Amino acid sequence: MNAATLPIITAFESSPDQGQGMARDMRVRWALEEVGQPYDVRLVSFETMKQPAHLALHPFGQIPTYEEDGLALFESGAIILHLARRHTGLLPREADARARAVTWMFAALNTVEPPIVELEQAEYIAGDRPWYAELKAMLENRVRVRLAQLAARLGDADWLDSAFSAGDLMMVTVLRRAEDTGLLEDHLNLAAYVARGKARPAYQRAFADQLEVFVRSRPRAP
Amino acid sequence: MNAATLPIITAFESSPDQGQGMARDMRVRWALEEVGQPYDVRLVSFETMKQPAHLALHPFGQIPTYEEDGLALFESGAIILHLARRHTGLLPREADARARAVTWMFAALNTVEPPIVELEQAEYIAGDRPWYAELKAMLENRVRVRLAQLAARLGDADWLDSAFSAGDLMMVTVLRRAEDTGLLEDHLNLAAYVARGKARPAYQRAFADQLEVFVRSRPRAP
């Protein structure tokens, strides 16, 4: 694939997390780095994300999207699964091991991420309400349950199902969204698992690339 | 595959929704019926779901699980994707169309389902609080946004990406969880889409089978 036909992903023009790598393009960047696939990035603003051109690519007006030779995808899980089928390095070759790794992708996105994102969202929608503290405590308890179950399963293994896979890539990025809650610190093995993911050279390249977008977009000091 | 080696799924011994088919085993049953794969069901109680034997199959203590010839999976998305790879009838054969159908599976599970489940969960965790009505209104607004975006994309098409696929199967079951909220009724095309899914013979066989579990488990009138 030459430069003229590089796949293109979308990412926030102005990173809401100030370059901490919490946005979902980080997952796709990391996967692209793991498989060694160069790519281009098109930056979108919160305004352009709601315009028809972007909605044609992503019906829910979010990032990331992925375009390649006439194929347009959205949803980080679907994009990473697509990359995993085109390249080696994200899923085991053996069919049963592959199905188990895919299971961890879905577990990250449908079982572990929702209560974490909900805790985050509650602050946006109800952070100024007198009852927010009570709601927050309830939502934290749900996250605690999920983290305890995940920690019990991981035990002292390095990755969720023997070798590193797209399931771990997804789970590490999901757990990173709980970093600011302090809840991850209850489980040393989960904290070490996240650190192990972040130590991968592909993660570090992806992180540096998304951070650069933020640094470039930041207004310069006078 | 003969009777001795049928795949086994787990389902609730005592259906929390009284046989309305909202539990996630419904999705897997529907997929199994679409591909014509017979299966066995092992019923689990809320107590046995928290025991080590079930946690070994499903680290988050939920249903459904899927066992087949030494392979054990959990997460309805992963199970259905596995079935789609083993059988025809759930995903298009052409690679790009297949990737787009998989995108709708992830969109159903990671973008549309979380705000719907959250609205449901809020009643469980905070239904008795004086501020519940205020929270509920906020959560309903989030569901409204997602449904409007999905309705805009579906338009007057029968299915989300030309032919029926596992992406539609997943989306229909996710939308069904919003049926009781009344929010689906704002979009005639989404209501018709759900009805189209429910009219499929495979859906109806799956629904009847899970309803039978509830009817059998119900204490008889004296």
Side-chain angles (χ1 to χ4, degrees), chain A residues 24 55-56 59-60 62 71-75 77-78 81-82 85-86 96 99-100 102-104 106-107 109-113 118 121 125-126 129 131 134-135 138-139 142 146 149-150 153, chain B residues 24 55-56 59-60 62 71-75 77-78 81-82 85-86 96 99-100 102-104 106-107 109-113 118 121 125-126 129 131 134-135 138-139 142 146 149-150 153:
Chain A
R24 288 181 175 88
L55 289 171
F60 302 103
Q62 299 179 323
L71 172 66
L73 301 176
F74 60 99
E75 290 286 334
L81 203 52
H82 171 74
R85 302 206 177 279
R86 291 278 172 102
D96 283 4
R100 288 195 303 270
V102 169
T103 293
W104 284 112
F106 280 101
L109 292 172
N110 198 233
T111 298
V112 181
E113 184 171 74
E118 203 47 39
Q121 289 287 311
I125 67 172
R129 295 302 198 279
W131 41 267
E134 201 182 344
L135 174 64
M138 291 169 169
L139 297 177
R142 292 201 315 195
R146 286 288 172 260
Q149 290 167 324
L150 184 64
R153 168 55 69 104
Chain B
R24 288 181 174 87
L55 288 172
F60 303 102
Q62 299 179 323
L71 171 66
L73 300 176
F74 60 99
E75 289 286 334
L81 204 52
H82 171 74
R85 302 205 177 280
R86 292 278 173 102
D96 282 4
R100 287 195 304 269
V102 169
T103 293
W104 284 111
F106 280 101
L109 292 172
N110 197 234
T111 298
V112 181
E113 184 171 73
E118 204 48 41
Q121 289 289 311
I125 68 171
R129 295 302 198 280
W131 41 268
E134 201 181 346
L135 174 64
M138 290 170 170
L139 298 178
R142 291 200 317 195
R146 287 286 172 259
Q149 291 167 324
L150 183 65
R153 169 54 70 104

Side-chain angles (χ1 to χ4, degrees), chain A residues 1 8 11 20 37 53 81 86 123 133 136 140 143 180-181 222:
Chain A
M1 204 173 259
I8 301 171
Q20 287 179 70
Q37 171 64 56
L81 203 52
R86 291 278 172 102
E123 194 178 347
K136 187 183 172 201
E140 281 178 346
V143 175
D180 285 349
T181 65

Side-chain angles (χ1 to χ4, degrees), chain B residues 6-221:
Chain B
L6 286 184
I8 301 171
I9 68 167
T10 48
F12 290 128
E13 181 181 82
S14 180
S15 161
D17 68 3
Q18 314 216 315
Q20 288 179 68
M22 298 296 179
R24 288 181 174 87
D25 61 297
M26 177 64 200
R27 301 169 179 177
V28 173
R29 289 173 183 272
W30 183 5
L32 285 157
E33 291 289 348
E34 288 283 350
V35 303
Q37 171 64 56
Y39 61 100
D40 281 331
V41 182
R42 187 171 64 244
L43 299 175
V44 293
S45 68
F46 287 102
E47 238 172 65
T48 55
M49 281 166 68
K50 307 301 170 200
Q51 299 300 314
H54 188 74
L55 288 172
L57 284 174
H58 196 313
F60 303 102
Q62 299 179 323
I63 59 102
T65 58
Y66 178 92
E67 293 160 85
E68 167 205 288
D69 292 337
L71 171 66
L73 300 176
F74 60 99
E75 289 286 334
S76 56
I79 296 167
I80 292 172
L81 204 52
H82 171 74
L83 293 172
R85 302 205 177 280
R86 292 278 173 102
H87 305 268
T88 56
L90 286 173
L91 287 174
R93 301 183 77 88
E94 192 269 316
D96 282 4
R98 179 170 280 232
R100 287 195 304 269
V102 169
T103 293
W104 284 111
M105 291 180 68
F106 280 101
L109 292 172
N110 197 234
T111 298
V112 181
E113 184 171 73
I116 292 172
V117 167
E118 204 48 41
L119 178 58
E120 211 174 75
Q121 289 289 311
E123 193 178 348
Y124 288 114
I125 68 171
D128 60 349
R129 295 302 198 280
W131 41 268
Y132 169 63
E134 201 181 346
L135 174 64
K136 186 182 173 202
M138 290 170 170
L139 298 178
E140 280 179 346
N141 278 340
R142 291 200 317 195
V143 175
R144 274 195 194 95
V145 169
R146 287 286 172 259
L147 295 181
Q149 291 167 324
L150 183 65
R153 169 54 70 104
L154 180 65
D156 57 5
D158 278 356
W159 307 111
L160 287 164
D161 197 277
S162 49
F164 172 83
S165 80
D168 296 298
L169 184 155
M170 202 58 95
M171 192 66 83
V172 166
T173 59
V174 163
L175 292 177
R176 278 214 60 214
R177 293 192 72 157
E179 276 177 346
D180 285 348
T181 65
L183 301 174
L184 214 50
E185 294 153 28
D186 293 347
H187 302 284
L188 290 178
N189 66 336
L190 291 187
Y193 172 69
V194 172
R196 212 171 285 127
K198 289 160 99 168
R200 292 180 71 86
Y203 177 96
Q204 295 184 0
R205 288 192 298 272
F207 187 88
D209 285 347
Q210 66 80 35
L211 180 62
E212 200 198 331
V213 174
F214 170 69
V215 171
R216 270 192 285 124
S217 73
R218 203 167 35 179
R220 301 225 180 124

